[in-house]
Amino acid sequence: MEIWINPACSKCRGAMELLDAEGAEYTVRRYLEDVPSPDEIRAVLDRLGLEPWDITRTQEAQAKELGLKEWPREAGSRERWISALAGHPELIQRPIITADDGSAVVARTDEAVRDAMRR
């Protein structure tokens, strides 16, 4: 499995600590440095079963500057949201774990991390 993290994020550090404690094998992607492409974001969204606005950190300063809260949340705006996430990866909710079975979870809780490990 792979985990997308921001090392400064306590939720990311907690998820990795739990993965380590459980002996899980995983790779780390520091997505602020290794920025996901729009195609990678689409693929993760498909795996999550979510839309881009569902994984957007709308309280971040950059989100406010872009006016994301006012953007339509509909199919016709999906690509605009994906472009914003690719252009401003700090807006991507974290951590995200892509599991070996092809699924993914936003792993902000211990339960979500354990769920990813069971897949």
Side-chain angles (χ1 to χ4, degrees), residues 90-104:
E90 68 276 9
L91 299 178
I92 299 172
Q93 190 59 265
R94 60 192 182 248
I96 294 176
I97 296 176
T98 55
D100 292 336
D101 71 352
S103 64

Side-chain angles (χ1 to χ4, degrees), residues 50-118:
L50 297 174
E51 293 296 338
W53 45 85
D54 296 325
I55 66 162
T56 300
R57 299 173 58 85
T58 58
Q59 297 302 314
E60 296 290 325
Q62 188 64 45
K64 291 176 182 178
E65 193 174 303
L66 292 170
L68 289 182
K69 279 194 169 189
E70 308 306 317
W71 288 15
R73 296 175 183 220
E74 58 194 22
S77 298
R78 190 171 199 264
E79 288 304 311
R80 182 179 182 197
W81 283 85
I82 290 170
S83 292
L85 293 175
H88 306 280
E90 68 276 9
L91 299 178
I92 299 172
Q93 190 59 265
R94 60 192 182 248
I96 294 176
I97 296 176
T98 55
D100 292 336
D101 71 352
S103 64
V105 296
V106 178
R108 295 190 58 74
T109 65
D110 287 353
E111 187 60 34
V113 175
R114 286 188 182 95
D115 181 43
M117 286 189 288
R118 287 190 291 267

Side-chain angles (χ1 to χ4, degrees), residues 26-72:
Y26 64 96
T27 58
V28 173
R29 180 170 187 170
R30 294 178 178 217
Y31 70 91
L32 297 179
E33 298 164 13
D34 183 7
V35 178
S37 69
D39 284 341
E40 289 174 305
I41 293 170
R42 282 186 211 93
V44 164
L45 288 168
D46 288 345
R47 291 174 81 165
L48 287 167
L50 297 174
E51 293 296 338
W53 45 85
D54 296 325
I55 66 162
T56 300
R57 299 173 58 85
T58 58
Q59 297 302 314
E60 296 290 325
Q62 188 64 45
K64 291 176 182 178
E65 193 174 303
L66 292 170
L68 289 182
K69 279 194 169 189
E70 308 306 317
W71 288 15

